[in-house]
Amino acid sequence: MNDSTGLQVDDLSVEFGAVTALNHVSCEFPASGISGLLGPNGAGKTTLLNVVSGFQVPSSGSVRVNGSDLAADGIRARVLSGVVRTFQTVRLLEKETVFDNVALGCEGLQRHSPLRQVLGIGKGRAARRRDHDVTIDALAMVGLGSLAQRMPAELPYAKRRLVEIARAIAGSPKVLLLDEPMAGMDREARLALLDTLVEVQGSLGMTMVVVEHDIDMVRRLCTHVVVLAGGAFVAAGPPDEIVADPRVQATYFGAEDARHQ
């Protein structure tokens, strides 16, 4: 494995009965950078994220983060090892404050016994202070510091998405997987989120993988792109090279669109 690779998947296959969602996919995502994961609907993008994050057990293949094999790890173990994700649909606790939603992300940090934390004894007290500070920092990083005590239902969609991202980064992830974080946003909100993601990755230095369909946004956001189609690997490389690749034009843009790229 290359020292500059943060996330590596090797020979991943996922089968649902007669349907092959991933077909022997091997690809790498650089450490300390933002990678785009592209492909038409049904390409296997979300399935790949599910495998990496432990929500889906592959039929074959392996997942490595910074050289460590995660094959035996379940969802919680992967969170503790630094693999965190968001989903296509925002998932928040609607009866809890924005602060409390984001604080849940601290569960991925090394913790002391619940009793010690509740009673505020010794290291448990220090853990509670740390979690508070980490939550405040995560909210500030995504521009939600002034909304900490608001309820999620009071926020517009774009800010609800930011709450979810703040929760993800509160756990200090080594790998952050974002499944269509810009979906449902207008262009202004998408550009604002793009700037936020660049700042977050630059500040925390994690491997960030973003599923996104807007090629313009991918070019602005990513330095590396992986393309899937029909559950198979198609190509990987810098965004401009990928967009110009005939294989990508044929599978992602379609034959008609390819003639206009």
Side-chain angles (χ1 to χ4, degrees):
M1 183 174 180
N2 191 301
D3 290 339
S4 64
T5 301
L7 171 63
Q8 180 182 44
V9 300
D10 184 42
D11 196 35
L12 281 185
S13 290
V14 173
E15 297 176 354
F16 300 108
V19 177
T20 300
L22 290 177
N23 187 12
H24 299 286
V25 172
S26 296
C27 56
E28 300 180 349
F29 301 90
S32 299
I34 302 179
S35 295
L37 182 57
L38 295 181
N41 292 333
K45 304 182 296 297
T46 295
T47 301
L48 179 60
L49 297 195
N50 287 343
V51 172
V52 172
S53 55
F55 284 82
Q56 175 65 49
V57 177
S59 305
S60 66
S62 64
V63 176
R64 294 180 180 274
V65 172
N66 297 331
S68 298
D69 190 350
L70 304 185
D73 293 346
I75 296 171
R76 178 162 177 76
R78 295 195 190 199
V79 171
L80 292 174
S81 67
V83 179
V84 181
R85 68 168 298 177
T86 64
F87 295 85
Q88 291 180 9
T89 302
V90 178
R91 302 181 180 186
L92 300 176
L93 299 179
E94 300 295 342
K95 295 183 179 180
E96 303 294 336
T97 65
V98 167
F99 180 94
D100 289 340
N101 269 273
V102 174
L104 288 174
C106 297
E107 293 296 324
L109 302 173
Q110 183 64 39
R111 304 183 67 83
H112 299 279
S113 72
L115 178 61
R116 282 182 173 271
Q117 292 193 63
V118 170
L119 297 179
I121 298 174
K123 292 182 179 179
R125 183 187 299 115
R128 292 185 68 189
R129 286 198 301 268
R130 178 208 59 203
D131 289 357
H132 177 274
D133 293 344
V134 166
T135 300
I136 292 297
D137 288 345
L139 285 165
M141 192 171 294
V142 301
L144 296 180
S146 64
L147 302 177
Q149 297 308 315
R150 298 281 292 276
M151 305 301 287
E154 300 173 1
L155 305 181
Y157 175 79
K159 292 193 182 299
R160 288 170 58 84
R161 177 65 78 179
L162 287 173
V163 174
E164 187 176 50
I165 292 172
R167 181 175 61 199
I169 65 177
S172 298
K174 296 176 183 176
V175 175
L176 179 57
L177 310 171
L178 303 175
D179 197 352
E180 299 191 32
M182 298 181 184
M185 296 183 185
D186 60 28
R187 183 169 178 79
E188 181 179 356
R190 291 161 72 83
L191 288 171
L193 178 55
L194 184 152
D195 290 340
T196 297
L197 294 180
V198 170
E199 181 179 348
V200 166
Q201 195 285 320
S203 297
L204 300 181
M206 85 285 278
T207 299
M208 184 183 289
V209 180
V210 180
V211 175
E212 175 55 43
H213 292 283
D214 187 324
I215 299 301
D216 178 56
M217 292 296 169
V218 170
R219 282 172 155 163
R220 291 169 179 262
L221 178 65
C222 304
T223 56
H224 179 77
V225 176
V226 172
V227 181
L228 303 180
F233 172 83
V234 176
D240 288 342
E241 290 184 13
I242 288 301
V243 171
D245 190 317
R247 297 171 299 171
V248 175
Q249 292 185 358
T251 57
Y252 183 78
F253 299 108
E256 179 65 27
D257 290 339
R259 290 195 290 269
H260 302 287
Q261 293 299 317

